[in-house]
Amino acid sequence: MSGEMYKVSVVTRQERLKDFQDALNEIGVIAYTVSAVEGFGTQLSFTETYRGVKQEIHLLPKVLVEIVVSTVPVDDIIEVAKAQLRTEEPGDGKIFVSKVTKVVRIRTGELDYAALTNDAK
Ligand SMILES: Nc1ncnc2c1ncn2[C@@H]1O[C@H](COP(=O)(O)OP(=O)(O)OP(=O)(O)O)[C@@H](O)[C@H]1O
Ligand SMILES: [Mg+2]
């Protein structure tokens, strides 16, 4: 089996993580990476410098969820993210989608689709 592989990176609020994880599980996303990160959103960055005077910069704690998929549709992940993470308040986060050119499962040397799935051999 072949096909494009994508990484969906979601930066969002820490407090929404558990519900997001549960919803990911329901659409068949089992493997992903979660990191604690700090970030700036757009509405804060514009106050970084005003007339040459440095303003206080507020780095906010966020979580970064990185999901690499081959069979689960990216749009399904985006829909789940919007459903679970949208509070309509500033700071709900962002989703970044990029193409992945290679995946290697270190234990077996399997590549790409085979490295992303757990088909019994
Ligand atoms: N362009 C970007 N590049 C990389 N990371 C980003 C970018 N925009 C947002 N982020 C990350 O996402 C986090 C949450 O962003 P945030 O939700 O505040 O985005 P926003 O564009 O300000 O939207 P909103 O108006 O809803 O707040 C940021 O703290 C940062 O970690
Ligand atoms: Mg923001």
Side-chain angles (χ1 to χ4, degrees):
M1 177 149 180
S2 65
E4 299 280 7
M5 301 179 293
Y6 295 95
K7 178 167 78 171
V8 184
S9 299
V10 181
V11 187
T12 193
R13 304 175 194 281
Q14 294 172 320
E15 53 267 38
R16 300 298 309 151
L17 177 61
K18 180 67 170 71
D19 288 343
F20 184 41
Q21 288 177 289
D22 291 345
L24 285 174
N25 211 36
E26 279 175 19
I27 61 165
V29 173
I30 49 169
Y32 49 86
T33 301
V34 178
S35 309
V37 296
E38 295 185 316
F40 300 103
T42 53
Q43 90 279 21
L44 294 174
S45 61
F46 104 106
T47 63
E48 277 176 5
T49 306
Y50 180 68
R51 294 184 177 169
V53 179
K54 249 192 186 167
Q55 305 292 306
E56 192 178 358
I57 292 170
H58 298 283
L59 265 178
L60 296 175
K62 299 284 176 182
V63 289
L64 170 63
V65 181
E66 294 173 295
I67 307 154
V68 177
V69 288
S70 59
T71 54
V72 178
V74 168
D75 286 344
D76 288 5
I77 297 173
I78 291 171
E79 287 309 310
V80 160
K82 289 192 294 185
Q84 296 301 321
L85 304 176
R86 182 179 283 164
T87 70
E88 299 184 4
E89 295 295 322
D92 281 349
K94 285 232 174 70
I95 302 168
F96 306 97
V97 180
S98 48
K99 284 191 178 179
V100 170
T101 55
K102 185 175 281 194
V103 177
V104 181
R105 177 179 275 132
I106 294 172
R107 174 173 59 88
T108 58
E110 287 164 298
L111 298 175
D112 301 341
Y113 171 80
L116 290 172
T117 53
N118 262 329
D119 297 342
K121 286 206 264 185

